[in-house]
Coordinates of all heavy atoms in Angstrom, one line a residue:
G1 N 7.7 33.3 3.6 CA 7.2 34.6 3.6 C 5.9 34.8 4.5 O 5.3 33.8 4.9
S2 N 5.5 36.0 4.6 CA 4.2 36.2 5.4 C 3.1 36.2 4.4 O 3.2 36.7 3.3 CB 4.4 37.5 6.2 OG 4.5 38.6 5.4
Y3 N 2.0 35.7 4.9 CA 0.7 35.7 4.1 C -0.4 35.5 5.1 O -0.3 35.2 6.2 CB 0.7 34.6 3.1 CG 1.0 33.2 3.6 CD1 -0.1 32.4 4.0 CD2 2.3 32.8 3.8 CE1 0.1 31.2 4.5 CE2 2.5 31.5 4.2 CZ 1.4 30.7 4.7 OH 1.6 29.5 5.2
D4 N -1.6 35.8 4.6 CA -2.8 35.6 5.4 C -3.3 34.1 5.4 O -3.9 33.6 4.5 CB -3.9 36.5 4.8 CG -5.2 36.5 5.6 OD1 -5.5 35.5 6.4 OD2 -6.0 37.4 5.4
K5 N -2.9 33.4 6.5 CA -3.1 32.0 6.6 C -4.6 31.6 6.5 O -5.0 30.7 5.8 CB -2.6 31.4 7.9 CG -1.1 31.4 7.9 CD -0.5 30.8 9.1 CE 1.0 30.9 9.1 NZ 1.7 30.0 10.0
E6 N -5.5 32.4 7.1 CA -6.9 32.1 7.0 C -7.4 32.3 5.6 O -8.2 31.5 5.1 CB -7.7 33.1 8.0 CG -7.5 32.7 9.4 CD -8.3 33.6 10.4 OE1 -9.4 34.1 9.9 OE2 -7.9 33.8 11.5
A7 N -7.0 33.3 4.9 CA -7.4 33.5 3.5 C -6.9 32.4 2.6 O -7.7 31.9 1.8 CB -6.9 34.8 3.0
V8 N -5.7 31.9 2.8 CA -5.2 30.8 2.0 C -5.9 29.6 2.3 O -6.2 28.8 1.4 CB -3.6 30.7 2.2 CG1 -3.1 29.5 1.4 CG2 -2.9 32.0 1.7
R9 N -6.1 29.3 3.6 CA -6.9 28.1 3.9 C -8.3 28.1 3.3 O -8.8 27.1 2.9 CB -6.9 27.9 5.4 CG -5.5 27.3 5.9 CD -5.6 26.9 7.3 NE -4.2 26.5 7.7 CZ -4.0 25.5 8.5 NH1 -5.0 24.8 9.1 NH2 -2.7 25.2 8.8
A10 N -8.9 29.3 3.3 CA -10.2 29.4 2.8 C -10.2 29.1 1.3 O -11.1 28.5 0.7 CB -10.8 30.8 3.0
R11 N -9.1 29.6 0.6 CA -9.0 29.3 -0.8 C -8.8 27.8 -1.1 O -9.4 27.3 -2.0 CB -7.8 30.0 -1.4 CG -7.5 29.7 -2.8 CD -6.1 29.8 -3.3 NE -5.9 29.1 -4.5 CZ -5.0 29.4 -5.4 NH1 -4.2 30.3 -5.2 NH2 -4.8 28.6 -6.5
I12 N -8.0 27.2 -0.3 CA -7.8 25.7 -0.4 C -9.2 25.0 -0.2 O -9.5 24.1 -0.9 CB -6.7 25.2 0.6 CG1 -5.4 25.8 0.1 CG2 -6.7 23.7 0.6 CD1 -4.3 25.5 1.2
E13 N -9.9 25.4 0.8 CA -11.2 24.8 1.1 C -12.1 25.0 -0.2 O -12.8 24.0 -0.6 CB -11.8 25.4 2.3 CG -13.2 24.8 2.7 CD -13.1 23.3 3.0 OE1 -12.0 22.8 3.6 OE2 -14.0 22.6 2.8
R14 N -12.1 26.2 -0.7 CA -13.0 26.4 -2.0 C -12.5 25.5 -3.1 O -13.3 24.9 -3.8 CB -12.9 27.9 -2.4 CG -13.7 28.8 -1.5 CD -13.9 30.2 -2.1 NE -12.6 30.8 -2.5 CZ -11.8 31.5 -1.6 NH1 -12.2 31.7 -0.4 NH2 -10.7 32.0 -2.0
D15 N -11.2 25.4 -3.3 CA -10.6 24.5 -4.3 C -11.1 23.1 -4.1 O -11.5 22.5 -5.1 CB -9.1 24.6 -4.2 CG -8.4 25.9 -4.7 OD1 -9.1 26.7 -5.3 OD2 -7.2 26.0 -4.4
V16 N -10.9 22.6 -2.9 CA -11.3 21.2 -2.6 C -12.8 20.9 -2.8 O -13.2 19.9 -3.3 CB -10.9 20.8 -1.2 CG1 -11.4 19.5 -0.7 CG2 -9.3 20.8 -1.1
Q17 N -13.6 21.9 -2.6 CA -15.0 21.8 -2.8 C -15.4 21.9 -4.2 O -16.6 21.5 -4.6 CB -15.8 22.9 -2.0 CG -15.6 22.8 -0.5 CD -16.3 21.6 0.2 OE1 -17.3 21.2 -0.3 NE2 -15.7 21.1 1.2
S18 N -14.5 22.4 -5.1 CA -14.9 22.6 -6.5 C -14.9 21.4 -7.4 O -15.4 21.5 -8.5 CB -13.9 23.7 -7.1 OG -12.6 23.1 -7.3
S19 N -14.4 20.3 -7.0 CA -14.3 19.1 -7.8 C -14.2 17.9 -7.0 O -13.6 17.9 -5.9 CB -13.1 19.3 -8.8 OG -13.0 18.2 -9.7
P20 N -14.6 16.7 -7.6 CA -14.4 15.5 -6.9 C -13.0 15.2 -6.5 O -12.7 14.6 -5.5 CB -15.0 14.4 -7.8 CG -15.9 15.2 -8.7 CD -15.3 16.6 -8.8
V21 N -12.1 15.6 -7.4 CA -10.6 15.4 -7.3 C -9.9 16.7 -7.6 O -10.2 17.3 -8.6 CB -10.1 14.3 -8.1 CG1 -8.6 14.1 -8.0 CG2 -10.8 12.9 -7.8
V22 N -9.0 17.1 -6.7 CA -8.2 18.3 -7.0 C -6.8 17.9 -7.0 O -6.3 17.3 -6.0 CB -8.5 19.5 -6.0 CG1 -7.6 20.7 -6.2 CG2 -10.0 19.9 -6.0
V23 N -6.1 18.4 -8.0 CA -4.6 18.1 -8.1 C -3.9 19.4 -8.1 O -4.1 20.2 -9.0 CB -4.3 17.3 -9.4 CG1 -2.8 17.1 -9.5 CG2 -5.0 16.0 -9.4
Y24 N -3.1 19.6 -7.0 CA -2.2 20.8 -7.0 C -0.9 20.3 -7.8 O -0.4 19.3 -7.5 CB -1.9 21.2 -5.6 CG -3.1 21.9 -4.9 CD1 -3.9 21.1 -4.2 CD2 -3.3 23.2 -5.1 CE1 -5.0 21.7 -3.6 CE2 -4.4 23.8 -4.5 CZ -5.3 23.0 -3.7 OH -6.4 23.6 -3.1
S25 N -0.5 21.2 -8.7 CA 0.5 20.7 -9.7 C 1.5 21.8 -10.0 O 1.3 23.0 -9.8 CB -0.3 20.3 -10.9 OG 0.6 19.9 -12.0
Y26 N 2.7 21.3 -10.5 CA 3.7 22.2 -11.1 C 3.7 21.8 -12.6 O 3.7 20.7 -13.0 CB 5.1 21.9 -10.6 CG 5.2 22.2 -9.1 CD1 5.7 21.2 -8.2 CD2 4.8 23.4 -8.5 CE1 5.8 21.4 -6.9 CE2 4.9 23.6 -7.2 CZ 5.4 22.6 -6.3 OH 5.6 22.9 -5.0
E27 N 3.6 22.9 -13.4 CA 3.5 22.7 -14.9 C 4.6 21.8 -15.5 O 4.3 21.0 -16.4 CB 3.4 24.0 -15.6 CG 2.3 24.9 -15.2 CD 2.4 26.3 -15.5 OE1 3.3 26.7 -16.4 OE2 1.6 27.1 -15.0
L28 N 5.8 22.0 -15.0 CA 7.0 21.3 -15.6 C 7.3 20.0 -15.0 O 8.3 19.3 -15.4 CB 8.2 22.2 -15.7 CG 8.0 23.5 -16.4 CD1 9.2 24.4 -16.3 CD2 7.6 23.3 -17.9
S29 N 6.6 19.6 -13.9 CA 7.0 18.4 -13.2 C 6.5 17.1 -13.9 O 5.3 17.0 -14.2 CB 6.3 18.4 -11.8 OG 6.4 17.1 -11.2
P30 N 7.4 16.2 -14.2 CA 7.0 15.0 -14.9 C 6.1 14.2 -14.0 O 5.2 13.5 -14.5 CB 8.3 14.3 -15.2 CG 9.4 14.9 -14.3 CD 8.9 16.3 -14.0
F31 N 6.3 14.3 -12.7 CA 5.4 13.5 -11.7 C 4.0 14.0 -11.8 O 3.0 13.3 -11.8 CB 6.0 13.6 -10.3 CG 7.4 13.0 -10.2 CD1 8.4 13.9 -9.9 CD2 7.6 11.7 -10.4 CE1 9.7 13.4 -9.9 CE2 8.9 11.2 -10.3 CZ 10.0 12.0 -10.1
C32 N 3.9 15.3 -11.8 CA 2.5 15.9 -11.9 C 1.9 15.6 -13.3 O 0.7 15.3 -13.3 CB 2.6 17.5 -11.7 SG 3.1 18.0 -10.1
S33 N 2.7 15.7 -14.3 CA 2.2 15.4 -15.7 C 1.7 13.9 -15.7 O 0.6 13.6 -16.3 CB 3.2 15.6 -16.7 OG 3.6 16.9 -16.8
Q34 N 2.4 13.0 -15.1 CA 2.0 11.6 -15.1 C 0.8 11.4 -14.3 O -0.1 10.6 -14.7 CB 3.2 10.7 -14.6 CG 4.3 10.6 -15.6 CD 5.5 9.9 -14.9 OE1 5.6 9.6 -13.7 NE2 6.5 9.5 -15.8
A35 N 0.6 12.1 -13.2 CA -0.6 11.9 -12.4 C -1.8 12.4 -13.2 O -2.8 11.7 -13.2 CB -0.4 12.7 -11.1
K36 N -1.7 13.5 -13.8 CA -2.8 14.0 -14.6 C -3.1 13.1 -15.8 O -4.3 12.9 -16.2 CB -2.5 15.5 -15.1 CG -2.6 16.5 -13.9 CD -2.3 17.9 -14.3 CE -0.8 18.1 -14.6 NZ -0.4 19.5 -14.8
E37 N -2.1 12.6 -16.5 CA -2.3 11.7 -17.6 C -3.0 10.4 -17.1 O -3.9 9.9 -17.8 CB -0.9 11.3 -18.2 CG -0.3 12.4 -19.0 CD 1.1 12.1 -19.5 OE1 1.6 11.0 -19.2 OE2 1.7 13.0 -20.0
L38 N -2.7 9.9 -15.9 CA -3.4 8.7 -15.4 C -4.8 9.1 -15.1 O -5.7 8.3 -15.5 CB -2.7 8.3 -14.1 CG -3.4 7.1 -13.3 CD1 -3.4 5.9 -14.2 CD2 -2.7 6.9 -12.0
L39 N -5.1 10.2 -14.5 CA -6.5 10.6 -14.3 C -7.2 10.7 -15.6 O -8.4 10.3 -15.7 CB -6.5 11.9 -13.4 CG -6.1 11.8 -12.0 CD1 -5.9 13.2 -11.4 CD2 -7.0 11.0 -11.2
D40 N -6.6 11.3 -16.6 CA -7.2 11.4 -17.9 C -7.5 10.1 -18.5 O -8.6 9.8 -19.0 CB -6.4 12.2 -18.9 CG -6.3 13.7 -18.6 OD1 -7.2 14.2 -17.9 OD2 -5.3 14.3 -19.0
S41 N -6.6 9.2 -18.3 CA -6.7 7.8 -19.0 C -7.9 7.0 -18.4 O -8.4 6.1 -19.1 CB -5.4 7.0 -18.8 OG -5.2 6.5 -17.5
V42 N -8.3 7.3 -17.1 CA -9.4 6.6 -16.5 C -10.6 7.4 -16.5 O -11.7 7.0 -16.0 CB -9.0 6.1 -15.1 CG1 -7.9 5.1 -15.1 CG2 -8.8 7.2 -14.2
G43 N -10.6 8.5 -17.2 CA -11.8 9.4 -17.3 C -12.2 10.1 -16.0 O -13.4 10.4 -15.8
A44 N -11.3 10.2 -15.1 CA -11.6 10.9 -13.8 C -11.9 12.4 -14.1 O -11.3 13.0 -14.9 CB -10.4 10.8 -12.9
K45 N -12.9 12.8 -13.3 CA -13.3 14.2 -13.3 C -12.4 14.9 -12.2 O -12.5 14.5 -11.1 CB -14.7 14.4 -13.0 CG -15.3 15.7 -13.2 CD -16.8 15.7 -13.0 CE -17.4 17.0 -13.5 NZ -18.8 17.0 -13.5
Y46 N -11.6 15.8 -12.6 CA -10.7 16.5 -11.7 C -10.4 17.9 -12.1 O -10.7 18.3 -13.2 CB -9.4 15.7 -11.5 CG -8.4 15.8 -12.7 CD1 -7.4 16.7 -12.8 CD2 -8.6 14.9 -13.8 CE1 -6.6 16.7 -13.9 CE2 -7.8 15.0 -14.9 CZ -6.8 15.9 -15.0 OH -5.9 16.0 -16.0
R47 N -9.9 18.6 -11.2 CA -9.4 20.0 -11.4 C -8.0 20.1 -11.1 O -7.5 19.8 -10.0 CB -10.2 21.0 -10.5 CG -9.8 22.4 -10.7 CD -10.6 23.3 -9.9 NE -10.1 24.7 -10.0 CZ -10.2 25.6 -9.1 NH1 -10.9 25.3 -8.0 NH2 -9.7 26.8 -9.3
A48 N -7.2 20.5 -12.1 CA -5.7 20.8 -11.8 C -5.5 22.2 -11.5 O -6.0 23.1 -12.2 CB -4.9 20.4 -13.1
I49 N -4.8 22.5 -10.4 CA -4.5 23.8 -10.0 C -3.0 23.9 -10.1 O -2.2 23.3 -9.3 CB -5.0 24.1 -8.6 CG1 -6.5 24.0 -8.6 CG2 -4.5 25.5 -8.1 CD1 -7.1 24.1 -7.2
E50 N -2.5 24.7 -11.1 CA -1.1 24.9 -11.3 C -0.5 26.0 -10.4 O -0.9 27.1 -10.4 CB -0.8 25.2 -12.8 CG -1.4 24.3 -13.8 CD -0.8 22.9 -13.7 OE1 0.2 22.7 -13.1 OE2 -1.5 22.0 -14.3
L51 N 0.4 25.6 -9.4 CA 0.9 26.5 -8.5 C 2.1 27.3 -9.1 O 2.3 28.4 -8.7 CB 1.4 25.8 -7.2 CG 0.3 25.2 -6.4 CD1 0.9 24.5 -5.1 CD2 -0.8 26.2 -6.0
A52 N 2.8 26.7 -10.0 CA 3.9 27.4 -10.6 C 4.5 26.5 -11.7 O 4.1 25.3 -11.8 CB 5.0 27.6 -9.6
P53 N 5.4 27.0 -12.6 CA 6.1 26.1 -13.5 C 6.8 25.0 -12.8 O 6.8 23.8 -13.2 CB 7.0 27.0 -14.3 CG 6.4 28.4 -14.1 CD 5.8 28.4 -12.7
E54 N 7.5 25.3 -11.7 CA 8.2 24.3 -10.9 C 8.4 24.9 -9.5 O 8.2 26.1 -9.3 CB 9.6 24.0 -11.6 CG 10.3 22.9 -11.1 CD 9.5 21.6 -10.9 OE1 9.5 20.8 -11.9 OE2 9.0 21.3 -9.9
W55 N 8.9 24.1 -8.6 CA 9.0 24.6 -7.2 C 10.3 25.4 -6.9 O 10.5 25.9 -5.9 CB 9.0 23.4 -6.3 CG 10.2 22.4 -6.5 CD1 10.2 21.4 -7.3 CD2 11.5 22.5 -5.9 NE1 11.4 20.8 -7.3 CE2 12.2 21.5 -6.4 CE3 12.0 23.4 -4.9 CZ2 13.5 21.2 -6.0 CZ3 13.4 23.1 -4.6 CH2 14.1 22.1 -5.1
L56 N 11.2 25.4 -7.9 CA 12.5 26.1 -7.7 C 12.3 27.6 -7.3 O 11.4 28.2 -7.8 CB 13.3 26.0 -9.0 CG 13.6 24.6 -9.4 CD1 14.2 24.6 -10.8 CD2 14.6 23.9 -8.5
P57 N 13.2 28.1 -6.5 CA 13.1 29.5 -6.1 C 13.1 30.4 -7.3 O 13.8 30.2 -8.3 CB 14.4 29.7 -5.3 CG 14.8 28.4 -4.8 CD 14.3 27.4 -5.8
G58 N 12.2 31.4 -7.3 CA 12.1 32.3 -8.3 C 11.1 31.9 -9.4 O 10.7 32.7 -10.3
M59 N 10.6 30.7 -9.4 CA 9.7 30.2 -10.3 C 8.2 30.2 -9.8 O 7.3 29.9 -10.5 CB 10.0 28.8 -10.8 CG 11.3 28.8 -11.6 SD 11.6 27.2 -12.5 CE 10.6 27.4 -13.9
M60 N 8.1 30.4 -8.5 CA 6.8 30.4 -7.8 C 6.3 31.7 -7.3 O 7.2 32.4 -6.7 CB 6.8 29.4 -6.7 CG 5.4 29.1 -6.1 SD 5.4 27.9 -4.8 CE 6.0 26.4 -5.6
S61 N 5.1 32.1 -7.6 CA 4.6 33.4 -7.1 C 4.4 33.3 -5.6 O 4.4 32.2 -5.0 CB 3.2 33.7 -7.8 OG 2.3 32.7 -7.4
A62 N 4.2 34.4 -5.0 CA 4.0 34.5 -3.6 C 2.6 33.7 -3.3 O 2.6 33.0 -2.2 CB 3.9 35.9 -3.1
E63 N 1.7 33.8 -4.1 CA 0.4 33.1 -3.9 C 0.6 31.6 -3.9 O 0.1 30.9 -3.1 CB -0.6 33.6 -4.9 CG -2.0 32.9 -4.7 CD -3.0 33.3 -5.7 OE1 -2.7 34.1 -6.6 OE2 -4.2 32.9 -5.6
G64 N 1.3 31.2 -5.0 CA 1.6 29.7 -5.1 C 2.4 29.2 -3.9 O 2.1 28.1 -3.4
A65 N 3.4 30.0 -3.4 CA 4.2 29.6 -2.3 C 3.3 29.5 -1.0 O 3.5 28.6 -0.2 CB 5.3 30.6 -2.1
A66 N 2.4 30.4 -0.9 CA 1.5 30.4 0.3 C 0.6 29.2 0.3 O 0.4 28.5 1.3 CB 0.7 31.7 0.3
V67 N 0.1 28.9 -0.9 CA -0.8 27.7 -1.0 C 0.1 26.4 -0.7 O -0.4 25.5 0.1 CB -1.4 27.6 -2.4 CG1 -2.1 26.2 -2.5 CG2 -2.4 28.7 -2.6
R68 N 1.2 26.3 -1.2 CA 2.1 25.2 -1.0 C 2.4 25.1 0.5 O 2.4 24.0 1.1 CB 3.4 25.3 -1.8 CG 4.4 24.2 -1.5 CD 5.6 24.4 -2.4 NE 6.5 23.2 -2.3 CZ 7.7 23.3 -1.8 NH1 8.2 24.4 -1.3 NH2 8.4 22.2 -1.8
A69 N 2.7 26.2 1.2 CA 3.0 26.2 2.6 C 1.8 25.7 3.4 O 2.0 24.9 4.4 CB 3.5 27.6 3.1
E70 N 0.7 26.2 3.1 CA -0.5 25.8 3.8 C -0.9 24.3 3.6 O -1.4 23.6 4.5 CB -1.7 26.7 3.6 CG -1.6 28.0 4.3 CD -1.4 27.8 5.8 OE1 -2.3 27.2 6.5 OE2 -0.4 28.3 6.3
L71 N -0.7 23.9 2.3 CA -1.0 22.5 2.1 C 0.0 21.6 2.9 O -0.4 20.6 3.4 CB -0.8 22.2 0.6 CG -1.9 22.7 -0.4 CD1 -1.4 22.5 -1.8 CD2 -3.2 21.9 -0.1
G72 N 1.2 22.1 3.1 CA 2.2 21.4 3.9 C 1.8 21.4 5.3 O 1.9 20.3 6.0
A73 N 1.2 22.5 5.8 CA 0.8 22.5 7.2 C -0.4 21.6 7.4 O -0.6 21.0 8.5 CB 0.4 24.0 7.6
L74 N -1.3 21.5 6.4 CA -2.5 20.7 6.5 C -2.2 19.2 6.3 O -2.9 18.4 7.0 CB -3.5 21.2 5.5 CG -4.2 22.5 5.7 CD1 -4.9 23.0 4.5 CD2 -5.1 22.5 6.9
T75 N -1.3 18.9 5.4 CA -1.1 17.5 5.1 C 0.2 16.9 5.5 O 0.4 15.7 5.5 CB -1.2 17.3 3.6 OG1 -0.1 18.0 3.0 CG2 -2.5 17.9 3.0
G76 N 1.1 17.7 5.9 CA 2.5 17.2 6.3 C 3.4 17.0 5.1 O 4.4 16.5 5.2
Q77 N 2.9 17.4 3.9 CA 3.7 17.2 2.7 C 3.7 18.5 1.8 O 2.7 19.2 1.8 CB 3.0 16.1 1.8 CG 3.0 14.7 2.4 CD 2.5 13.7 1.5 OE1 3.2 13.1 0.7 NE2 1.1 13.5 1.5
T78 N 4.8 18.7 1.2 CA 4.8 19.9 0.3 C 5.2 19.5 -1.1 O 5.3 20.3 -2.0 CB 5.9 20.9 0.8 OG1 7.2 20.3 0.8 CG2 5.5 21.6 2.1
S79 N 5.4 18.2 -1.3 CA 5.6 17.7 -2.7 C 4.3 17.6 -3.5 O 3.3 17.5 -2.9 CB 6.4 16.4 -2.7 OG 5.6 15.4 -2.1
M80 N 4.5 17.8 -4.8 CA 3.3 17.7 -5.7 C 3.5 16.6 -6.7 O 4.6 16.4 -7.0 CB 3.1 19.1 -6.4 CG 3.0 20.3 -5.6 SD 1.5 20.3 -4.6 CE 2.0 21.4 -3.3
P81 N 2.5 16.0 -7.2 CA 1.1 16.2 -6.9 C 0.7 15.7 -5.6 O 1.3 14.8 -5.0 CB 0.4 15.5 -8.0 CG 1.3 14.3 -8.4 CD 2.7 14.9 -8.1

């Protein structure tokens, strides 16, 4: 879909600046849950940003989809975490 790429990139930049570690996550993803559990187990200071319950169509808001798309453009990956 269409979205304001500059605004979304600015949001991502603010997110990244907000914590030593930032994890973009899906609430129902076992991979995301395991990554956060690992960070918790080692006492890591991090911020989890939940983009949606899951990546499936209809489960992600337009805002979450825009962040996912821009993360893909920036990193070459759209999988989470």
Side-chain angles (χ1 to χ4, degrees):
S2 64
Y3 57 89
D4 182 340
K5 290 183 182 197
E6 288 183 27
V8 174
R9 285 190 182 213
R11 176 206 161 155
I12 292 169
E13 184 62 33
R14 285 190 307 273
D15 290 345
V16 169
Q17 298 290 328
S18 72
S19 182
V21 177
V22 175
V23 177
Y24 289 93
S25 176
Y26 300 126
E27 297 164 16
L28 302 177
S29 166
F31 302 111
C32 293
S33 296
Q34 288 174 349
K36 291 180 285 189
E37 287 170 7
L38 175 63
L39 290 168
D40 288 337
S41 74
V42 297
K45 190 173 192 176
Y46 71 96
R47 178 177 175 207
I49 299 173
E50 306 297 342
L51 295 181
E54 191 51 90
W55 64 269
L56 300 169
M59 294 190 81
M60 187 178 298
S61 69
E63 181 180 3
V67 170
R68 180 177 185 246
E70 281 307 299
L71 287 170
L74 291 165
T75 68
Q77 298 184 90
T78 58
S79 62
M80 305 293 158

